[in-house]
Amino acid sequence: MSNYRKTTAPQQELQIQGQVERITYANEENAYSIVKVTVDKRLVTVVGNLLSINPGEVLCLRGQWINHPKYGEQFKVNSYSSITPATVTGIEKYLGSGLIKGIGPVLAKRLVAKFAEHTLDVIEQTAERLREVDGIGEKRISMIKSAWETQREVKEIMLFLQSHGVSSAYAIKIFKQYGHNSIEVVKTNPYQLATDIYGVGFLTADKIAAKLGFAKDSPLRAESGILYVLQQLADEGHVYYPLEQLAVECVKILDIELANVKEAIVAAATAKHIVIDDIAANDNNPSGKAVYLAKFYISETSIAANLKRLLANITAPYLFNEGKAIQWVQRELSITLAENQIEAVKMSFNKKVLVITGGPGTGKTTIINSIIKIYKRLGQRVLLAAPTGRAAKRMAEATSDDAKTIHRLLDFSPKDGAFKRTDKNPLDAELVVLDEVSMVDTILMHHFLKALPPHATLILVGDIDQLPSVGAGGVLRDIIDSGVVAVVRLNEIFRQSQRSLIVVNAHRINSGEFPILVNDMDQDRDFYFLEMDDPEAMVERIVALCKERIPAKFNFDPFKDIQVLTAMYKGQLGAVNLNTELQNALNPRGVELIRGGRTFRVGDKVMQLVNNYDKDVFNGDIGKIIAINTEEQEISVNYYGKAAAYDYTELDEITLAYAVTVHKSQGSEYPAVIMPVHTQQYIMLQRNLLYTGVTRGKRLVILLGTKKALYISIQNNKPRHRYTYLKERLR
């Protein structure tokens, strides 16, 4: 047995065989695993790329012995093959490992007790005999047969994909998408994976293509690469990109000649994947050529056309006394409206489209409630909507009326992947109010406006100073800046809100002033700044605040009421690290599942990362894990009282949510917010990000960090430029 030596000479490849006892670590992204294997009655550590292996499996491993400076002797795998276990113990471990959906450890024990070393042959060849085991009916037999077939086919696909650098998690997704045609699809056009499968990006597809022999300058690669670059730019917020700049980006990212890029752009436009539009030239775009992904061009032009359609459709004026209506609604709601609020209410009756924008405490909700009340008194049908489930829930609570997500309002059909409410089947309403419009991106606004009937009045409500939408575009800002729509700007903080340091400081931050800082948490305030410079100590303090200090002083629940917000995803003060620390402090024990280096436990707070219409859960929804079923290979999450089940292959759709990025918190309010502000997050220190984070807190906001980082954030008021042309199209 040779020890690891620092030498460039190649070591002799050895072969060993053993049974997998347990998997200590498995990274689903690159398949790197650390596995305990019994070899000749001795437990050894095996490391390397081991795809989708299971305890009980017998492996024939080829590689070298190495001596790790910290962990000692290990066998480093170069390649391996799987041998079906032959012993009764091995078969039981193999079946009980979660290999087959429908068979857990208990059922595996009963199957092996009945069929001994013939168990696997029975499952494969005479599955109907499984009913000889108590508790197994037709449904379970069908599930086991199907799962056995699937895992066998997935294994074949995995072996093919493994040789082309694809992880096991993606192999299962590829099989789910293409079934028996998986290998054929990958061989013919690996770039299709980037389009069809969530989580498989162009870079992964490109690696596969390279291993399959696709040339770097192949037209297929160039065209797919252009779509990839445009989508990356859309993820940064751009609706289009100037042609010359796009070509330069593509040359840089794809490492091909400019001529190849230009040919591919023409081919993509001919195939209608992209649209090249002539717009007004400017310093950023001297040629005036704008390149859109087709869906964004359709959406942006449609928003402009539909807003113009609404504005052009003059409806008959309401025959009532506005003054008396204002007096009536003030009595009904027991309020006194300020002058600008009265003006806003009146404008809702003579403007087809009205934007109401303002920060916290400026009376947006009071205006909306007054408008709704009067419209309903006039016998008009009113619909309320918001972009997320949480924002819709907040709107319903604030108005004591029914509010829906845009998707639900437009009756999205998961089966067809389309909205049922369109211009052919419009909404039935005289007034439609859309809240949190700063969150609404170009594509969603296109679908929303398309479904509005021409006679309806539209009121758009939002805070223009918050972060722009996560998706491409700056719809609210573009509509306001176009000057074609009536806008009510609310700047005055009402007396009852002036007592809140959260509200006062939010407005100070927004206007470029330093907030009023209170660092003594024994004082009875709702906004504190704890000055700290050491990131490690800050993490410890955040954990202590969530676990002990805030629950003790303010009686807030760490799971339901407290939300940690952070500027970044990675780093010591990023969401990933904070989630690990908070999970271990708040939910250290319980039934757990480790997948791809991530640990999920029953009781964990999690967030949905993408819209999933089949499950009726959407990007940003927060829920709690209520069950982990190893036999069915499912995790159940409770979202706002309804459960959603996730197959193990779908777990990249959720993430821990003890800490979330400020971007992901948009449209939400939390009783308590904790937010680190540190120069370690330098790249993300922006005024609108700090302002958005602070305005998420309803009753308590605690900032931790340095005054320098706070100052940098407040001074940095230059929002990142987004290429959009909606403002000009509206004009």
Side-chain angles (χ1 to χ4, degrees):
M1 206 179 286
S2 59
N3 282 339
Y4 175 69
R5 295 185 304 279
K6 288 187 179 176
T7 172
T8 52
Q11 284 183 276
Q12 183 190 355
E13 188 172 75
L14 303 169
Q15 182 172 303
I16 62 172
Q17 185 171 307
Q19 180 175 292
V20 178
E21 296 300 330
R22 66 178 181 275
I23 296 157
T24 307
Y25 173 81
N27 185 326
E28 288 180 10
E29 297 302 312
N30 58 20
Y32 179 80
S33 304
I34 302 168
V35 180
K36 295 292 185 185
V37 177
T38 299
V39 180
D40 296 331
K41 298 183 180 175
R42 190 166 72 91
L43 197 65
V44 301
T45 301
V46 173
V47 298
N49 287 16
L50 295 156
L51 271 165
S52 192
I53 57 166
N54 293 277
E57 209 166 340
V58 178
L59 301 178
C60 181
L61 303 155
R62 288 166 290 280
Q64 297 89 21
W65 289 101
I66 63 168
N67 200 19
H68 190 282
K70 186 174 178 183
Y71 300 109
E73 190 180 64
Q74 298 178 337
F75 191 80
K76 187 179 179 188
V77 175
N78 298 331
S79 62
Y80 73 97
S81 54
S82 174
I83 302 163
T84 307
T87 68
V88 168
T89 309
I91 292 168
E92 184 184 323
K93 192 180 276 280
Y94 184 60
L95 286 176
S97 66
L99 168 80
I100 299 170
K101 196 168 181 175
I103 300 179
V106 175
L107 186 52
K109 199 178 198 71
R110 281 163 45 208
L111 286 169
V112 171
K114 177 70 179 172
F115 301 115
E117 66 271 15
H118 305 297
T119 304
L120 299 180
D121 294 331
V122 169
I123 292 171
E124 184 156 350
Q125 293 160 20
T126 53
E128 57 279 1
R129 284 196 62 201
L130 295 175
R131 66 168 64 89
E132 294 172 26
V133 177
D134 285 346
I136 297 188
E138 288 303 321
K139 190 178 171 189
R140 181 59 60 95
I141 289 171
S142 172
M143 184 195 284
I144 291 169
K145 273 171 76 173
S146 167
W148 181 263
E149 280 299 310
T150 299
Q151 70 86 26
R152 206 171 55 176
E153 289 198 48
V154 167
K155 207 87 168 177
E156 278 175 40
I157 292 162
M158 277 179 180
L159 289 172
F160 167 77
L161 293 172
Q162 180 190 14
S163 61
H164 296 96
V166 186
S167 80
S168 57
Y170 292 153
I172 295 164
K173 287 189 169 198
I174 290 165
F175 177 74
K176 276 189 165 183
Q177 179 76 21
Y178 307 121
H180 310 299
N181 302 320
S182 298
I183 292 173
E184 188 57 36
V185 169
V186 174
K187 279 181 177 174
T188 309
N189 182 5
Y191 295 103
Q192 197 174 327
L193 305 180
T195 309
D196 294 346
I197 297 167
Y198 172 70
V200 178
F202 171 81
L203 298 179
T204 304
D206 202 29
K207 278 184 200 164
I208 300 166
K211 291 200 175 184
L212 286 167
F214 281 79
K216 199 177 233 186
D217 61 354
S218 81
L220 189 64
R221 179 177 185 268
E223 199 176 326
S224 297
I226 285 157
L227 301 181
Y228 161 72
V229 172
L230 275 171
Q231 188 55 59
Q232 291 294 105
L233 292 165
D235 290 344
E236 289 174 23
H238 304 295
V239 178
Y240 75 86
Y241 216 65
L243 178 61
E244 288 83 0
Q245 288 173 238
L246 174 66
V248 170
E249 285 290 318
C250 291
V251 167
K252 195 165 60 184
I253 291 168
L254 303 177
D255 191 22
I256 56 176
E257 296 296 322
L258 184 61
N260 295 102
V261 168
K262 287 183 173 175
E263 277 176 32
I265 288 173
V266 171
T270 305
K272 295 189 165 56
H273 296 313
I274 64 173
V275 174
I276 304 169
D277 196 24
D278 288 307
I279 64 171
N282 57 40
D283 291 344
N284 290 322
N285 188 12
S287 73
K289 297 280 183 193
V291 186
Y292 290 80
L293 284 170
K295 61 185 178 183
F296 289 116
Y297 179 77
I298 291 164
S299 297
E300 189 177 81
T301 52
S302 160
I303 290 170
N306 280 310
L307 274 174
K308 285 176 180 176
R309 171 180 62 88
L310 273 178
L311 290 164
N313 195 288
I314 306 300
T315 49
Y318 292 101
L319 300 174
F320 70 103
N321 184 310
E322 285 183 357
K324 284 188 175 175
I326 299 288
Q327 288 173 6
W328 172 81
V329 82
Q330 289 183 114
R331 284 197 308 274
E332 281 290 302
L333 297 173
S334 303
I335 55 168
T336 303
L337 293 168
E339 279 306 310
N340 63 352
Q341 291 180 312
I342 290 171
E343 192 55 35
V345 174
K346 286 181 177 178
M347 285 169 81
S348 75
F349 299 105
N350 50 50
K351 300 290 182 188
K352 283 301 307 268
V353 182
L354 174 64
V355 173
I356 300 172
T357 183
T362 55
K364 294 193 298 289
T365 304
T366 304
I367 294 169
I368 295 307
N369 277 335
S370 302
I371 292 168
I372 292 168
K373 206 85 174 156
I374 295 171
Y375 263 84
K376 287 196 165 183
R377 175 76 171 178
L378 293 168
Q380 306 299 295
R381 181 163 160 73
V382 177
L383 293 175
L384 311 180
T388 66
R390 288 169 300 158
K393 191 164 179 276
R394 274 180 56 208
M395 193 183 190
E397 286 165 358
T399 59
S400 302
D401 217 316
D402 185 35
K404 295 179 178 176
T405 62
I406 296 174
H407 286 87
R408 207 162 273 140
L409 184 77
L410 303 186
D411 198 5
F412 185 85
S413 165
K415 191 178 169 191
D416 309 320
F419 293 101
K420 290 181 182 174
R421 291 289 189 175
T422 63
D423 48 347
K424 306 283 188 296
N425 178 30
L427 295 164
D428 177 19
E430 280 72 45
L431 173 69
V432 181
V433 183
L434 181 61
D435 198 8
E436 293 287 0
V437 183
S438 61
M439 292 180 69
V440 181
D441 62 30
T442 301
I443 288 176
L444 191 54
M445 186 58 92
H446 148 64
H447 287 294
F448 173 74
L449 291 175
K450 199 170 142 186
L452 289 188
H455 64 268
T457 292
L458 171 64
I459 298 181
L460 302 172
V461 187
D463 186 344
I464 192 61
D465 297 309
Q466 282 185 26
L467 288 169
S469 58
V470 175
V475 176
L476 181 60
R477 185 169 291 282
D478 283 349
I479 289 172
I480 291 172
D481 290 350
S482 72
V484 302
V485 169
V487 178
V488 174
R489 294 176 187 267
L490 304 169
N491 300 312
E492 182 191 344
I493 309 174
F494 283 91
R495 192 176 294 115
Q496 64 269 30
S497 297
Q498 287 173 0
R499 290 192 291 271
S500 166
L501 209 48
I502 295 173
V503 173
V504 170
N505 278 340
H507 284 269
R508 288 177 72 94
I509 289 165
N510 196 30
S511 59
E513 296 175 60
F514 213 70
I516 298 162
L517 302 183
V518 176
N519 57 20
D520 180 3
M521 283 189 64
D522 288 328
Q523 285 192 41
D524 191 17
R525 303 308 295 259
D526 63 359
F527 186 104
Y528 301 94
F529 177 75
L530 309 180
E531 193 166 6
M532 304 180 76
D533 194 18
D534 177 14
E536 194 175 327
M538 285 170 67
V539 172
E540 287 175 15
R541 189 70 176 275
I542 288 167
V543 170
L545 285 166
C546 289
K547 191 178 179 184
E548 295 144 10
R549 184 77 164 107
I550 295 175
K553 179 173 170 61
F554 300 95
N555 199 28
F556 285 145
D557 182 286
F559 290 88
K560 290 184 199 162
D561 301 329
I562 304 170
Q563 186 61 58
V564 176
L565 301 181
T566 181
M568 300 178 83
Y569 189 66
K570 293 180 177 172
Q572 207 165 4
L573 294 168
V576 175
N577 183 54
L578 287 169
N579 270 317
T580 303
E581 297 294 333
L582 288 162
Q583 180 193 41
N584 290 333
L586 299 172
N587 193 27
R589 286 177 294 279
V591 180
E592 70 176 31
L593 174 72
I594 300 171
R595 300 290 283 189
R598 297 188 303 160
T599 301
F600 291 111
R601 296 189 186 114
V602 170
D604 272 339
K605 182 178 180 179
V606 292
M607 176 184 273
Q608 175 75 11
L609 294 173
V610 290
N611 289 341
N612 188 319
Y613 306 107
D614 292 320
K615 297 188 197 304
D616 197 26
V617 289
F618 301 96
N619 186 358
D621 282 352
I622 286 181
K624 189 175 187 178
I625 295 177
I626 51 173
I628 295 175
N629 187 326
T630 51
E631 200 163 286
E632 301 294 334
Q633 295 184 11
E634 277 184 355
I635 279 186
S636 294
V637 180
N638 181 7
Y639 293 101
Y640 318 118
K642 65 176 190 294
Y646 294 82
D647 189 83
Y648 282 5
T649 60
E650 299 174 312
L651 294 182
D652 55 354
E653 288 191 15
I654 60 172
T655 188
L656 293 176
Y658 299 99
V660 303
T661 62
V662 178
H663 281 89
K664 283 287 186 189
S665 74
Q666 281 177 273
S668 297
E669 257 188 6
Y670 312 99
V673 160
I674 303 171
M675 186 175 168
V677 186
H678 194 274
T679 47
Q680 197 182 71
Q681 306 161 312
Y682 186 82
I683 195 169
M684 295 299 287
L685 295 178
Q686 297 168 321
R687 187 188 295 177
N688 60 357
L689 187 134
L690 178 63
Y691 173 74
T692 302
V694 167
T695 54
R696 300 308 89 207
K698 200 173 179 181
R699 290 157 60 193
L700 176 67
V701 170
I702 299 175
L703 302 182
L704 302 89
T706 64
K707 286 178 182 170
K708 182 183 177 182
L710 208 53
Y711 179 79
I712 292 167
S713 298
I714 293 162
Q715 292 305 304
N716 182 8
N717 193 33
K718 195 178 176 192
R720 294 181 179 183
H721 178 69
R722 292 184 168 200
Y723 284 105
T724 74
Y725 204 63
L726 177 60
K727 176 175 69 176
E728 291 79 3
R729 292 187 195 282
L730 284 168
R731 286 172 177 166

Short mmCIF file of all heavy atoms in Angstrom, two decimals, residues 46 55 67 72 87 95 111 124 155 169 194 258 318 324 341 383 385 454 458 487 505 561 609 658 691 725:
data_model
loop_
_atom_site.label_atom_id
_atom_site.label_comp_id
_atom_site.label_asym_id
_atom_site.label_seq_id
_atom_site.Cartn_x
_atom_site.Cartn_y
_atom_site.Cartn_z
N VAL A 46 -13.28 6.52 1.14
CA VAL A 46 -13.10 6.63 -0.31
C VAL A 46 -13.55 8.03 -0.72
O VAL A 46 -14.61 8.49 -0.30
CB VAL A 46 -13.94 5.55 -1.05
CG1 VAL A 46 -13.89 5.77 -2.55
CG2 VAL A 46 -13.43 4.16 -0.69
N PRO A 55 -25.88 3.20 0.02
CA PRO A 55 -25.40 2.22 1.00
C PRO A 55 -25.89 0.82 0.62
O PRO A 55 -27.01 0.64 0.14
CB PRO A 55 -26.05 2.69 2.31
CG PRO A 55 -26.23 4.16 2.12
CD PRO A 55 -26.57 4.33 0.67
N ASN A 67 -2.47 9.92 1.38
CA ASN A 67 -2.44 10.21 2.81
C ASN A 67 -2.79 11.68 3.01
O ASN A 67 -1.97 12.56 2.74
CB ASN A 67 -1.06 9.90 3.38
CG ASN A 67 -1.12 9.72 4.89
OD1 ASN A 67 -2.19 9.50 5.44
ND2 ASN A 67 0.01 9.84 5.55
N GLY A 72 -5.90 11.58 7.19
CA GLY A 72 -5.18 10.31 7.11
C GLY A 72 -5.38 9.58 5.80
O GLY A 72 -5.65 10.18 4.75
N THR A 87 -25.20 -10.24 -0.77
CA THR A 87 -25.54 -10.75 0.57
C THR A 87 -26.88 -10.17 1.03
O THR A 87 -27.29 -9.09 0.60
CB THR A 87 -24.46 -10.37 1.59
OG1 THR A 87 -24.48 -8.95 1.78
CG2 THR A 87 -23.07 -10.78 1.12
N LEU A 95 -31.58 -1.52 -0.44
CA LEU A 95 -32.98 -1.16 -0.65
C LEU A 95 -33.46 -0.12 0.37
O LEU A 95 -34.32 0.70 0.06
CB LEU A 95 -33.87 -2.40 -0.55
CG LEU A 95 -33.83 -3.37 -1.74
CD1 LEU A 95 -34.69 -4.58 -1.44
CD2 LEU A 95 -34.28 -2.70 -3.02
N LEU A 111 -38.99 -7.22 3.16
CA LEU A 111 -38.79 -7.84 1.84
C LEU A 111 -37.66 -8.87 1.90
O LEU A 111 -37.78 -9.99 1.38
CB LEU A 111 -38.46 -6.77 0.80
CG LEU A 111 -39.61 -5.88 0.33
CD1 LEU A 111 -39.07 -4.69 -0.48
CD2 LEU A 111 -40.61 -6.66 -0.51
N GLU A 124 -37.24 -7.17 -9.90
CA GLU A 124 -36.98 -6.92 -11.32
C GLU A 124 -37.82 -7.80 -12.24
O GLU A 124 -38.31 -7.35 -13.27
CB GLU A 124 -35.49 -7.12 -11.63
CG GLU A 124 -35.15 -6.77 -13.06
CD GLU A 124 -33.69 -6.39 -13.24
OE1 GLU A 124 -32.97 -6.20 -12.25
OE2 GLU A 124 -33.28 -6.29 -14.40
N LYS A 155 -29.51 5.27 -14.08
CA LYS A 155 -28.13 4.80 -13.88
C LYS A 155 -27.38 4.76 -15.20
O LYS A 155 -26.24 5.22 -15.29
CB LYS A 155 -28.18 3.40 -13.26
CG LYS A 155 -26.98 3.05 -12.43
CD LYS A 155 -27.18 3.51 -11.01
CE LYS A 155 -26.14 2.91 -10.10
NZ LYS A 155 -26.28 3.40 -8.74
N ALA A 169 -27.60 15.01 -9.87
CA ALA A 169 -28.87 15.75 -9.71
C ALA A 169 -29.42 16.15 -11.07
O ALA A 169 -30.62 16.05 -11.34
CB ALA A 169 -28.65 16.99 -8.85
N ALA A 194 -29.89 23.75 -21.47
CA ALA A 194 -29.87 25.08 -20.83
C ALA A 194 -31.22 25.77 -20.97
O ALA A 194 -31.64 26.54 -20.10
CB ALA A 194 -28.77 25.94 -21.44
N LEU A 258 -15.47 37.70 -33.73
CA LEU A 258 -16.59 38.63 -33.88
C LEU A 258 -17.47 38.26 -35.08
O LEU A 258 -18.69 38.36 -35.01
CB LEU A 258 -16.05 40.06 -34.03
CG LEU A 258 -17.09 41.18 -34.10
CD1 LEU A 258 -17.93 41.24 -32.83
CD2 LEU A 258 -16.42 42.54 -34.33
N TYR A 318 -68.40 59.70 -13.65
CA TYR A 318 -69.32 59.27 -12.60
C TYR A 318 -70.18 60.47 -12.17
O TYR A 318 -69.67 61.55 -11.90
CB TYR A 318 -68.54 58.72 -11.40
CG TYR A 318 -67.84 57.43 -11.71
CD1 TYR A 318 -66.47 57.41 -11.98
CD2 TYR A 318 -68.53 56.23 -11.76
CE1 TYR A 318 -65.81 56.23 -12.28
CE2 TYR A 318 -67.90 55.04 -12.06
CZ TYR A 318 -66.53 55.04 -12.31
OH TYR A 318 -65.90 53.87 -12.62
N LYS A 324 -69.14 65.56 -1.45
CA LYS A 324 -69.96 64.77 -0.52
C LYS A 324 -69.39 63.36 -0.35
O LYS A 324 -69.43 62.78 0.74
CB LYS A 324 -71.40 64.70 -1.04
CG LYS A 324 -72.17 65.99 -0.82
CD LYS A 324 -73.63 65.82 -1.17
CE LYS A 324 -74.41 67.10 -0.82
NZ LYS A 324 -75.81 67.01 -1.24
N GLN A 341 -54.14 63.79 -0.11
CA GLN A 341 -54.90 62.55 -0.12
C GLN A 341 -56.26 62.77 -0.80
O GLN A 341 -56.72 61.94 -1.59
CB GLN A 341 -55.09 62.01 1.30
CG GLN A 341 -53.79 61.50 1.92
CD GLN A 341 -54.02 60.97 3.32
OE1 GLN A 341 -54.67 61.62 4.14
NE2 GLN A 341 -53.48 59.80 3.60
N LEU A 383 -61.18 45.06 -8.12
CA LEU A 383 -60.25 43.94 -7.97
C LEU A 383 -58.92 44.46 -7.43
O LEU A 383 -58.43 45.51 -7.86
CB LEU A 383 -60.01 43.25 -9.32
CG LEU A 383 -61.20 42.51 -9.94
CD1 LEU A 383 -60.83 41.99 -11.32
CD2 LEU A 383 -61.66 41.36 -9.04
N ALA A 385 -54.81 43.42 -6.44
CA ALA A 385 -53.77 42.43 -6.72
C ALA A 385 -52.41 42.93 -6.29
O ALA A 385 -52.18 44.13 -6.12
CB ALA A 385 -53.76 42.08 -8.20
N PRO A 454 -60.95 47.59 -21.46
CA PRO A 454 -60.67 48.98 -21.87
C PRO A 454 -61.37 50.02 -21.01
O PRO A 454 -60.85 51.13 -20.83
CB PRO A 454 -61.19 49.04 -23.32
CG PRO A 454 -61.30 47.63 -23.76
CD PRO A 454 -61.54 46.80 -22.55
N LEU A 458 -57.26 52.04 -13.74
CA LEU A 458 -56.14 51.30 -13.16
C LEU A 458 -55.38 52.21 -12.19
O LEU A 458 -55.00 53.33 -12.54
CB LEU A 458 -55.19 50.84 -14.28
CG LEU A 458 -53.84 50.25 -13.82
CD1 LEU A 458 -54.04 48.97 -13.02
CD2 LEU A 458 -52.94 49.98 -15.03
N VAL A 487 -49.56 61.15 -11.74
CA VAL A 487 -48.79 60.61 -10.61
C VAL A 487 -49.06 61.43 -9.35
O VAL A 487 -49.03 62.65 -9.39
CB VAL A 487 -47.27 60.64 -10.92
CG1 VAL A 487 -46.47 60.12 -9.72
CG2 VAL A 487 -46.95 59.83 -12.16
N ASN A 505 -36.34 57.20 10.08
CA ASN A 505 -35.02 56.87 9.54
C ASN A 505 -35.08 56.40 8.08
O ASN A 505 -34.17 56.68 7.31
CB ASN A 505 -34.34 55.81 10.41
CG ASN A 505 -33.68 56.42 11.63
OD1 ASN A 505 -33.40 57.62 11.65
ND2 ASN A 505 -33.41 55.62 12.63
N ASP A 561 -41.66 35.68 13.38
CA ASP A 561 -41.63 37.15 13.47
C ASP A 561 -40.31 37.81 13.07
O ASP A 561 -40.29 38.96 12.66
CB ASP A 561 -41.97 37.60 14.90
CG ASP A 561 -43.34 37.12 15.35
OD1 ASP A 561 -44.22 36.99 14.48
OD2 ASP A 561 -43.51 36.86 16.55
N LEU A 609 -37.74 29.37 -4.41
CA LEU A 609 -36.84 30.19 -5.23
C LEU A 609 -37.34 30.47 -6.64
O LEU A 609 -36.83 31.36 -7.31
CB LEU A 609 -35.46 29.52 -5.31
CG LEU A 609 -34.70 29.43 -3.99
CD1 LEU A 609 -33.44 28.60 -4.16
CD2 LEU A 609 -34.35 30.81 -3.48
N TYR A 658 -33.93 31.44 7.18
CA TYR A 658 -33.71 32.20 8.42
C TYR A 658 -33.12 33.56 8.05
O TYR A 658 -33.42 34.57 8.67
CB TYR A 658 -32.76 31.44 9.35
CG TYR A 658 -33.26 30.08 9.78
CD1 TYR A 658 -32.83 28.92 9.15
CD2 TYR A 658 -34.18 29.97 10.82
CE1 TYR A 658 -33.29 27.67 9.54
CE2 TYR A 658 -34.65 28.72 11.22
CZ TYR A 658 -34.20 27.57 10.57
OH TYR A 658 -34.68 26.35 10.96
N TYR A 691 -32.50 51.23 2.15
CA TYR A 691 -33.87 51.75 2.33
C TYR A 691 -34.90 50.62 2.25
O TYR A 691 -35.80 50.52 3.08
CB TYR A 691 -34.14 52.81 1.26
CG TYR A 691 -35.57 53.33 1.21
CD1 TYR A 691 -36.06 54.19 2.18
CD2 TYR A 691 -36.42 52.95 0.16
CE1 TYR A 691 -37.37 54.67 2.12
CE2 TYR A 691 -37.72 53.43 0.09
CZ TYR A 691 -38.19 54.27 1.07
OH TYR A 691 -39.48 54.74 1.00
N TYR A 725 -36.71 50.51 -22.87
CA TYR A 725 -37.17 51.55 -23.81
C TYR A 725 -38.66 51.85 -23.63
O TYR A 725 -39.31 52.43 -24.48
CB TYR A 725 -36.89 51.09 -25.25
CG TYR A 725 -36.76 52.23 -26.24
CD1 TYR A 725 -35.75 53.18 -26.12
CD2 TYR A 725 -37.67 52.37 -27.30
CE1 TYR A 725 -35.64 54.23 -27.01
CE2 TYR A 725 -37.56 53.41 -28.20
CZ TYR A 725 -36.54 54.34 -28.06
OH TYR A 725 -36.43 55.38 -28.95
#
